Structures are given as structure tokens and as C-alpha cells.
Amino acid sequence: MGLAIASSMAIKAYYDNREAWGQSDLKQLMEYGGYYVQHREELDANSTQTESMLIGSIVDAILLHETGAFEREYHIQSIPEDKIPSDKEQEIAQAVLAHMKEKGIKTFPEVSDEDLLAILDAKHWQPKWKTETRLAKIREAIADYIEELIKAEGKIVITKAQYEAAMLAVSRLREHPMTRHLFQRSDLELRQRVTVYYQLPVYWEEKVKRKEEDEPVAIKCKALLDMLVIVRDEEGRILSAQGIDLKTTSLDTRFFPASLRKFRYDIQAMFYEHAIEKFLKMIAGGMAKETKIKPFQFAVVSTAPKPSTPVMLYTRNNEIAMTGWMGINYYDDMLVKHRVIGYEELLKRLAYYRMSNGKEVWEDGKTKSIALGWYTINEDPFGDLNGGDWPDEKPNPKPDPNM
């Protein structure tokens, strides 16, 4: 009972596990299709972390990881804001540092012009400039940053502004009446009938059929729950369980529903509720017959200076549940039928790609790329799924009378 926090090793093992598929992996199928199945490791390695994602990771480390995790994982750089290299220059600096470690070079000035030029060419940095200019400019731009990386000793380097934004979010979550009870560790540790898990990894296996007559395909799945709150009765049997995910935004939290649609957090909510169901079965000895999995929640915090609503706790409703799980059909204003895909269909796609070695094979044997977005219509080996990217603003869906 009380508070249970996953170890750093358990969290690292979760991210290192490339056999299992999480909800974020499944959502990549909507963008890359079968290509992602074939080139998953390469695409993930080349993915970039946005500013918002980085701040969210810092908030997680401070609030949800083991005590001292932030200090072990992050280094706040001392370079003035106006001297911080661009994203591309930081990427070059990381490559230079990797080269220095490989060659046993201690300081940046020891890196030869020839080796540095090879890195610049590989990164396609200012190829039209004269060689002497390229070398002089890049050495000036990244020298202090590389020294900072060396001091960081493998930690993630963040700016003072990023740290301050994360701490603003942390203080708001700890102080707001809707969320403060979730982060008061000393109080949580004393709870007798409530257990709160921070960063809980869950693993299970799904048997998925693309069509009823097909042989099932075994797909290993995983989920990393920011928080899971379990309530027990006086005899220790589980009465309820509820998952909660932290989200940070640079906007007012009132705009989170638009982010939910854009980033398909409905899929995350329902995939995680499914993971909770699997986790409860693993500890089934303590379950009561009336155990209830409560609707998934998002604890959303703004890093904006003066938002009207700095913190909001959103609970998924039945529409989100249906969309994220099974998907829905709806008609737009022109009475054109559209489909929004749920995670259950993405698992079927993954099973299909596994059987076809990642190729988009149609029933007549032809191969064609399928571009999946929020809109999906009328061309697909599974039925009626295909489409383009979701626009910035989603029109209000009109229910399909045939659903």
C-alpha cells in the first residue's frame, strides 16, 4: 500500500524493449504504414524531441521518478541564452563529441579540420560556404557548447529557461487543488487502502487476427503508465483502478481537447485502460468481483506565464473511448463518410504487416502505399481506410446513422 515508484532500470528497460509495441509505436503506423514495421529502429533513432516533449520529460523526472533522478539525468547549462547554438549546430556538436570519445580526444581544439569537415558534410551544414569559413564559424558556434557537454558527463543538457518552465509546471501541479493530492509523496506513503504507482511498466501479449479466418498473430505490447491509482477494501481486495497521464502545454489548458484530437491521445487513453485491465489480471488474487476500471484521466498543466486555467484534470468520455478503442465512422458537412481509426484496428494493421513483411498488399496482389491520418476513407485492404492528414481544426463529427 502507499506509493510505488518504478526504478530507473525498469524505465530504461521499458524504452530499450524493441520487441513490444506501445501506443506511440502503433500510432506511427498511421504515418508510415508498413515501412515503419521494416524500419522502426532507424526511424525512431532519427526522431527528434520537441521543446514541449523535453519539458514534459523533465516534469516527469521531478514528479514521478525516484528521488534524485532529475539530478542524475539532466545538466542545466551555464551558456547565456543568446550564445546557445541552433538545433542543427547542437546536432553537430553531439556528433563531434561522439567522434572525440571514439578517438580518445580530450578537448575540442584537438579535433582536426579534416575530421570536423567530414562531420559537417555528413550533416549537410552550409555546403555552399568556403571551407575555411565553415570551419571557423562552426568552431566558434559550438566550442562552449561542447565544453558544456563534456561537463555534463552524458547527462541531457537543458537550458535554464527549459528548467524554469518545467519547475513552473511542477509547482502548479503540486499546488493546484485538483492535482496536489497526487504528488504529496509523504502523504501517499501513509495511505492504507490506496496504492499509487508512478511510472508503471506493463507488458502483455495480444493474439490478433486481421480477418476471422486468419491464424492469430502474437503481438507483444507494452505501456508505461505515468500514474495508476488503486483503491482496496478493508480486506485488501481491489475495488477500483484509474490511470492518469501528465501532459504539459505552452498554451492554456482549455485548448487541450484540440491537442487530444491532433496527437490521438484517445488511442493512448484506451490502450492504457486495456493495459490496466491486463495488470489487474496479473495481480488477480486480490481483485474483488466489483473491481472497476475508472475512465482514464489527463492531468494537464500549462507553462504559459499567465494562463486563465493553469491546471485541468480531463476525464475521457464515451465518445473518446469508442474512438480510441474501436474507431468511429462519421459524415462531414458534404455527407462524405469518414473513419477515425482506433487502436484495435492498428493492432490488426500490425498483424497484417507482419504477415506481408511490411508491404501494403491489396487483395488483387498489387502493392500500394496507404497514407493514414485522422481522416480515412474508402481505399484499404481492410475495408474503407485511407486518407490524408488531419487539418488544424477538426469539424464537429456527425454521427453515422448506421453505427
Side-chain angles (χ1 to χ4, degrees), residues 118-140:
I119 293 173
L120 298 182
D121 289 341
K123 298 296 182 181
H124 307 289
W125 187 79
Q126 305 296 357
K128 294 182 179 181
W129 287 5
K130 292 181 179 179
T131 299
E132 296 80 5
T133 304
R134 295 175 77 195
L135 291 170
K137 289 291 186 182
I138 199 64
R139 284 191 182 276
E140 179 184 0

PDB file of all heavy atoms in Angstrom, residues 118-140:
ATOM      1  N   ALA A 118      34.405  16.479 -42.273  1.00  0.00           N
ATOM      2  CA  ALA A 118      33.656  15.263 -42.623  1.00  0.00           C
ATOM      3  C   ALA A 118      32.311  15.230 -41.885  1.00  0.00           C
ATOM      4  O   ALA A 118      31.288  14.828 -42.453  1.00  0.00           O
ATOM      5  CB  ALA A 118      34.477  14.020 -42.279  1.00  0.00           C
ATOM      6  N   ILE A 119      32.312  15.680 -40.640  1.00  0.00           N
ATOM      7  CA  ILE A 119      31.062  15.730 -39.870  1.00  0.00           C
ATOM      8  C   ILE A 119      30.120  16.769 -40.451  1.00  0.00           C
ATOM      9  O   ILE A 119      28.916  16.524 -40.596  1.00  0.00           O
ATOM     10  CB  ILE A 119      31.370  16.030 -38.388  1.00  0.00           C
ATOM     11  CG1 ILE A 119      32.124  14.853 -37.760  1.00  0.00           C
ATOM     12  CG2 ILE A 119      30.083  16.324 -37.618  1.00  0.00           C
ATOM     13  CD1 ILE A 119      32.626  15.123 -36.354  1.00  0.00           C
ATOM     14  N   LEU A 120      30.663  17.926 -40.831  1.00  0.00           N
ATOM     15  CA  LEU A 120      29.830  18.978 -41.425  1.00  0.00           C
ATOM     16  C   LEU A 120      29.219  18.513 -42.738  1.00  0.00           C
ATOM     17  O   LEU A 120      28.047  18.802 -43.031  1.00  0.00           O
ATOM     18  CB  LEU A 120      30.655  20.244 -41.660  1.00  0.00           C
ATOM     19  CG  LEU A 120      31.250  20.921 -40.417  1.00  0.00           C
ATOM     20  CD1 LEU A 120      31.990  22.192 -40.819  1.00  0.00           C
ATOM     21  CD2 LEU A 120      30.164  21.243 -39.400  1.00  0.00           C
ATOM     22  N   ASP A 121      29.990  17.794 -43.533  1.00  0.00           N
ATOM     23  CA  ASP A 121      29.470  17.273 -44.804  1.00  0.00           C
ATOM     24  C   ASP A 121      28.368  16.250 -44.561  1.00  0.00           C
ATOM     25  O   ASP A 121      27.349  16.239 -45.270  1.00  0.00           O
ATOM     26  CB  ASP A 121      30.602  16.636 -45.614  1.00  0.00           C
ATOM     27  CG  ASP A 121      31.576  17.665 -46.168  1.00  0.00           C
ATOM     28  OD1 ASP A 121      31.192  18.850 -46.242  1.00  0.00           O
ATOM     29  OD2 ASP A 121      32.713  17.290 -46.513  1.00  0.00           O
ATOM     30  N   ALA A 122      28.569  15.382 -43.564  1.00  0.00           N
ATOM     31  CA  ALA A 122      27.564  14.366 -43.250  1.00  0.00           C
ATOM     32  C   ALA A 122      26.259  14.995 -42.771  1.00  0.00           C
ATOM     33  O   ALA A 122      25.167  14.465 -43.014  1.00  0.00           O
ATOM     34  CB  ALA A 122      28.100  13.402 -42.191  1.00  0.00           C
ATOM     35  N   LYS A 123      26.376  16.146 -42.113  1.00  0.00           N
ATOM     36  CA  LYS A 123      25.193  16.846 -41.596  1.00  0.00           C
ATOM     37  C   LYS A 123      24.659  17.890 -42.581  1.00  0.00           C
ATOM     38  O   LYS A 123      23.679  18.569 -42.284  1.00  0.00           O
ATOM     39  CB  LYS A 123      25.528  17.529 -40.268  1.00  0.00           C
ATOM     40  CG  LYS A 123      25.944  16.580 -39.149  1.00  0.00           C
ATOM     41  CD  LYS A 123      24.816  15.660 -38.766  1.00  0.00           C
ATOM     42  CE  LYS A 123      25.215  14.745 -37.625  1.00  0.00           C
ATOM     43  NZ  LYS A 123      24.111  13.811 -37.243  1.00  0.00           N
ATOM     44  N   HIS A 124      25.295  18.009 -43.747  1.00  0.00           N
ATOM     45  CA  HIS A 124      24.870  18.955 -44.800  1.00  0.00           C
ATOM     46  C   HIS A 124      24.777  20.376 -44.257  1.00  0.00           C
ATOM     47  O   HIS A 124      23.834  21.114 -44.533  1.00  0.00           O
ATOM     48  CB  HIS A 124      23.519  18.523 -45.390  1.00  0.00           C
ATOM     49  CG  HIS A 124      23.491  17.107 -45.857  1.00  0.00           C
ATOM     50  ND1 HIS A 124      24.168  16.678 -46.976  1.00  0.00           N
ATOM     51  CD2 HIS A 124      22.888  15.997 -45.335  1.00  0.00           C
ATOM     52  CE1 HIS A 124      23.974  15.364 -47.137  1.00  0.00           C
ATOM     53  NE2 HIS A 124      23.208  14.938 -46.155  1.00  0.00           N
ATOM     54  N   TRP A 125      25.800  20.781 -43.489  1.00  0.00           N
ATOM     55  CA  TRP A 125      25.795  22.111 -42.875  1.00  0.00           C
ATOM     56  C   TRP A 125      26.526  23.109 -43.759  1.00  0.00           C
ATOM     57  O   TRP A 125      27.713  22.969 -44.030  1.00  0.00           O
ATOM     58  CB  TRP A 125      26.452  22.057 -41.494  1.00  0.00           C
ATOM     59  CG  TRP A 125      26.332  23.338 -40.718  1.00  0.00           C
ATOM     60  CD1 TRP A 125      25.244  23.778 -40.037  1.00  0.00           C
ATOM     61  CD2 TRP A 125      27.345  24.347 -40.552  1.00  0.00           C
ATOM     62  NE1 TRP A 125      25.495  25.006 -39.447  1.00  0.00           N
ATOM     63  CE2 TRP A 125      26.786  25.378 -39.748  1.00  0.00           C
ATOM     64  CE3 TRP A 125      28.651  24.486 -41.005  1.00  0.00           C
ATOM     65  CZ2 TRP A 125      27.493  26.511 -39.391  1.00  0.00           C
ATOM     66  CZ3 TRP A 125      29.367  25.625 -40.651  1.00  0.00           C
ATOM     67  CH2 TRP A 125      28.793  26.618 -39.857  1.00  0.00           C
ATOM     68  N   GLN A 126      25.792  24.112 -44.244  1.00  0.00           N
ATOM     69  CA  GLN A 126      26.320  25.213 -45.050  1.00  0.00           C
ATOM     70  C   GLN A 126      27.294  24.732 -46.143  1.00  0.00           C
ATOM     71  O   GLN A 126      28.447  25.171 -46.208  1.00  0.00           O
ATOM     72  CB  GLN A 126      27.032  26.237 -44.144  1.00  0.00           C
ATOM     73  CG  GLN A 126      26.193  26.786 -43.021  1.00  0.00           C
ATOM     74  CD  GLN A 126      24.987  27.586 -43.510  1.00  0.00           C
ATOM     75  OE1 GLN A 126      24.801  27.781 -44.700  1.00  0.00           O
ATOM     76  NE2 GLN A 126      24.164  28.031 -42.572  1.00  0.00           N
ATOM     77  N   PRO A 127      26.857  23.844 -47.033  1.00  0.00           N
ATOM     78  CA  PRO A 127      27.769  23.278 -48.044  1.00  0.00           C
ATOM     79  C   PRO A 127      28.269  24.288 -49.074  1.00  0.00           C
ATOM     80  O   PRO A 127      29.284  24.056 -49.729  1.00  0.00           O
ATOM     81  CB  PRO A 127      26.914  22.199 -48.706  1.00  0.00           C
ATOM     82  CG  PRO A 127      25.500  22.642 -48.492  1.00  0.00           C
ATOM     83  CD  PRO A 127      25.493  23.299 -47.151  1.00  0.00           C
ATOM     84  N   LYS A 128      27.574  25.429 -49.221  1.00  0.00           N
ATOM     85  CA  LYS A 128      27.977  26.409 -50.232  1.00  0.00           C
ATOM     86  C   LYS A 128      29.040  27.395 -49.716  1.00  0.00           C
ATOM     87  O   LYS A 128      29.604  28.164 -50.492  1.00  0.00           O
ATOM     88  CB  LYS A 128      26.750  27.178 -50.731  1.00  0.00           C
ATOM     89  CG  LYS A 128      25.761  26.294 -51.484  1.00  0.00           C
ATOM     90  CD  LYS A 128      24.588  27.107 -52.013  1.00  0.00           C
ATOM     91  CE  LYS A 128      23.614  26.217 -52.782  1.00  0.00           C
ATOM     92  NZ  LYS A 128      22.469  26.990 -53.319  1.00  0.00           N
ATOM     93  N   TRP A 129      29.283  27.383 -48.418  1.00  0.00           N
ATOM     94  CA  TRP A 129      30.296  28.275 -47.869  1.00  0.00           C
ATOM     95  C   TRP A 129      31.698  27.770 -48.214  1.00  0.00           C
ATOM     96  O   TRP A 129      31.896  26.575 -48.464  1.00  0.00           O
ATOM     97  CB  TRP A 129      30.174  28.374 -46.355  1.00  0.00           C
ATOM     98  CG  TRP A 129      28.991  29.167 -45.884  1.00  0.00           C
ATOM     99  CD1 TRP A 129      28.006  29.707 -46.654  1.00  0.00           C
ATOM    100  CD2 TRP A 129      28.669  29.475 -44.527  1.00  0.00           C
ATOM    101  NE1 TRP A 129      27.092  30.350 -45.879  1.00  0.00           N
ATOM    102  CE2 TRP A 129      27.468  30.232 -44.547  1.00  0.00           C
ATOM    103  CE3 TRP A 129      29.261  29.208 -43.303  1.00  0.00           C
ATOM    104  CZ2 TRP A 129      26.860  30.704 -43.399  1.00  0.00           C
ATOM    105  CZ3 TRP A 129      28.667  29.683 -42.147  1.00  0.00           C
ATOM    106  CH2 TRP A 129      27.483  30.429 -42.197  1.00  0.00           C
ATOM    107  N   LYS A 130      32.651  28.656 -48.160  1.00  0.00           N
ATOM    108  CA  LYS A 130      34.044  28.244 -48.318  1.00  0.00           C
ATOM    109  C   LYS A 130      34.454  27.379 -47.128  1.00  0.00           C
ATOM    110  O   LYS A 130      33.970  27.556 -46.007  1.00  0.00           O
ATOM    111  CB  LYS A 130      34.955  29.466 -48.396  1.00  0.00           C
ATOM    112  CG  LYS A 130      34.774  30.301 -49.659  1.00  0.00           C
ATOM    113  CD  LYS A 130      35.738  31.482 -49.653  1.00  0.00           C
ATOM    114  CE  LYS A 130      35.584  32.319 -50.915  1.00  0.00           C
ATOM    115  NZ  LYS A 130      36.510  33.491 -50.919  1.00  0.00           N
ATOM    116  N   THR A 131      35.381  26.452 -47.397  1.00  0.00           N
ATOM    117  CA  THR A 131      35.805  25.528 -46.354  1.00  0.00           C
ATOM    118  C   THR A 131      36.323  26.253 -45.120  1.00  0.00           C
ATOM    119  O   THR A 131      35.955  25.916 -43.984  1.00  0.00           O
ATOM    120  CB  THR A 131      36.892  24.579 -46.900  1.00  0.00           C
ATOM    121  OG1 THR A 131      36.352  23.831 -47.983  1.00  0.00           O
ATOM    122  CG2 THR A 131      37.371  23.633 -45.809  1.00  0.00           C
ATOM    123  N   GLU A 132      37.159  27.261 -45.331  1.00  0.00           N
ATOM    124  CA  GLU A 132      37.739  27.986 -44.202  1.00  0.00           C
ATOM    125  C   GLU A 132      36.652  28.672 -43.374  1.00  0.00           C
ATOM    126  O   GLU A 132      36.701  28.687 -42.133  1.00  0.00           O
ATOM    127  CB  GLU A 132      38.744  29.040 -44.699  1.00  0.00           C
ATOM    128  CG  GLU A 132      39.973  28.483 -45.399  1.00  0.00           C
ATOM    129  CD  GLU A 132      39.693  28.093 -46.849  1.00  0.00           C
ATOM    130  OE1 GLU A 132      38.553  28.342 -47.339  1.00  0.00           O
ATOM    131  OE2 GLU A 132      40.584  27.505 -47.491  1.00  0.00           O
ATOM    132  N   THR A 133      35.644  29.210 -44.062  1.00  0.00           N
ATOM    133  CA  THR A 133      34.553  29.886 -43.371  1.00  0.00           C
ATOM    134  C   THR A 133      33.718  28.893 -42.566  1.00  0.00           C
ATOM    135  O   THR A 133      33.339  29.161 -41.407  1.00  0.00           O
ATOM    136  CB  THR A 133      33.645  30.619 -44.385  1.00  0.00           C
ATOM    137  OG1 THR A 133      34.442  31.520 -45.163  1.00  0.00           O
ATOM    138  CG2 THR A 133      32.541  31.386 -43.680  1.00  0.00           C
ATOM    139  N   ARG A 134      33.416  27.758 -43.171  1.00  0.00           N
ATOM    140  CA  ARG A 134      32.624  26.726 -42.480  1.00  0.00           C
ATOM    141  C   ARG A 134      33.313  26.300 -41.178  1.00  0.00           C
ATOM    142  O   ARG A 134      32.682  26.224 -40.110  1.00  0.00           O
ATOM    143  CB  ARG A 134      32.424  25.508 -43.371  1.00  0.00           C
ATOM    144  CG  ARG A 134      31.591  25.755 -44.613  1.00  0.00           C
ATOM    145  CD  ARG A 134      31.567  24.504 -45.479  1.00  0.00           C
ATOM    146  NE  ARG A 134      30.658  23.491 -44.946  1.00  0.00           N
ATOM    147  CZ  ARG A 134      30.663  22.216 -45.339  1.00  0.00           C
ATOM    148  NH1 ARG A 134      31.549  21.798 -46.231  1.00  0.00           N
ATOM    149  NH2 ARG A 134      29.806  21.356 -44.839  1.00  0.00           N
ATOM    150  N   LEU A 135      34.597  26.005 -41.275  1.00  0.00           N
ATOM    151  CA  LEU A 135      35.338  25.526 -40.112  1.00  0.00           C
ATOM    152  C   LEU A 135      35.412  26.595 -39.024  1.00  0.00           C
ATOM    153  O   LEU A 135      35.200  26.311 -37.835  1.00  0.00           O
ATOM    154  CB  LEU A 135      36.741  25.095 -40.525  1.00  0.00           C
ATOM    155  CG  LEU A 135      36.819  23.836 -41.400  1.00  0.00           C
ATOM    156  CD1 LEU A 135      38.221  23.637 -41.951  1.00  0.00           C
ATOM    157  CD2 LEU A 135      36.390  22.608 -40.598  1.00  0.00           C
ATOM    158  N   ALA A 136      35.693  27.837 -39.423  1.00  0.00           N
ATOM    159  CA  ALA A 136      35.814  28.914 -38.438  1.00  0.00           C
ATOM    160  C   ALA A 136      34.482  29.180 -37.740  1.00  0.00           C
ATOM    161  O   ALA A 136      34.419  29.339 -36.513  1.00  0.00           O
ATOM    162  CB  ALA A 136      36.323  30.177 -39.125  1.00  0.00           C
ATOM    163  N   LYS A 137      33.398  29.226 -38.519  1.00  0.00           N
ATOM    164  CA  LYS A 137      32.078  29.532 -37.965  1.00  0.00           C
ATOM    165  C   LYS A 137      31.597  28.438 -37.015  1.00  0.00           C
ATOM    166  O   LYS A 137      31.037  28.734 -35.945  1.00  0.00           O
ATOM    167  CB  LYS A 137      31.073  29.728 -39.096  1.00  0.00           C
ATOM    168  CG  LYS A 137      31.274  31.015 -39.898  1.00  0.00           C
ATOM    169  CD  LYS A 137      30.949  32.243 -39.079  1.00  0.00           C
ATOM    170  CE  LYS A 137      31.006  33.513 -39.934  1.00  0.00           C
ATOM    171  NZ  LYS A 137      30.737  34.721 -39.122  1.00  0.00           N
ATOM    172  N   ILE A 138      31.794  27.178 -37.408  1.00  0.00           N
ATOM    173  CA  ILE A 138      31.285  26.095 -36.568  1.00  0.00           C
ATOM    174  C   ILE A 138      32.113  25.970 -35.292  1.00  0.00           C
ATOM    175  O   ILE A 138      31.568  25.687 -34.216  1.00  0.00           O
ATOM    176  CB  ILE A 138      31.222  24.751 -37.331  1.00  0.00           C
ATOM    177  CG1 ILE A 138      30.278  23.783 -36.601  1.00  0.00           C
ATOM    178  CG2 ILE A 138      32.603  24.131 -37.489  1.00  0.00           C
ATOM    179  CD1 ILE A 138      28.845  24.221 -36.543  1.00  0.00           C
ATOM    180  N   ARG A 139      33.407  26.181 -35.384  1.00  0.00           N
ATOM    181  CA  ARG A 139      34.232  26.118 -34.167  1.00  0.00           C
ATOM    182  C   ARG A 139      33.806  27.211 -33.182  1.00  0.00           C
ATOM    183  O   ARG A 139      33.717  26.977 -31.970  1.00  0.00           O
ATOM    184  CB  ARG A 139      35.713  26.250 -34.510  1.00  0.00           C
ATOM    185  CG  ARG A 139      36.327  24.982 -35.107  1.00  0.00           C
ATOM    186  CD  ARG A 139      37.835  25.065 -35.190  1.00  0.00           C
ATOM    187  NE  ARG A 139      38.409  23.878 -35.810  1.00  0.00           N
ATOM    188  CZ  ARG A 139      38.687  22.744 -35.182  1.00  0.00           C
ATOM    189  NH1 ARG A 139      38.419  22.635 -33.879  1.00  0.00           N
ATOM    190  NH2 ARG A 139      39.224  21.720 -35.821  1.00  0.00           N
ATOM    191  N   GLU A 140      33.527  28.382 -33.698  1.00  0.00           N
ATOM    192  CA  GLU A 140      33.086  29.478 -32.844  1.00  0.00           C
ATOM    193  C   GLU A 140      31.708  29.194 -32.245  1.00  0.00           C
ATOM    194  O   GLU A 140      31.447  29.479 -31.075  1.00  0.00           O
ATOM    195  CB  GLU A 140      33.030  30.777 -33.649  1.00  0.00           C
ATOM    196  CG  GLU A 140      32.562  31.986 -32.851  1.00  0.00           C
ATOM    197  CD  GLU A 140      32.433  33.231 -33.710  1.00  0.00           C
ATOM    198  OE1 GLU A 140      32.698  33.161 -34.927  1.00  0.00           O
ATOM    199  OE2 GLU A 140      32.047  34.280 -33.164  1.00  0.00           O
TER     200      GLU A 140
END
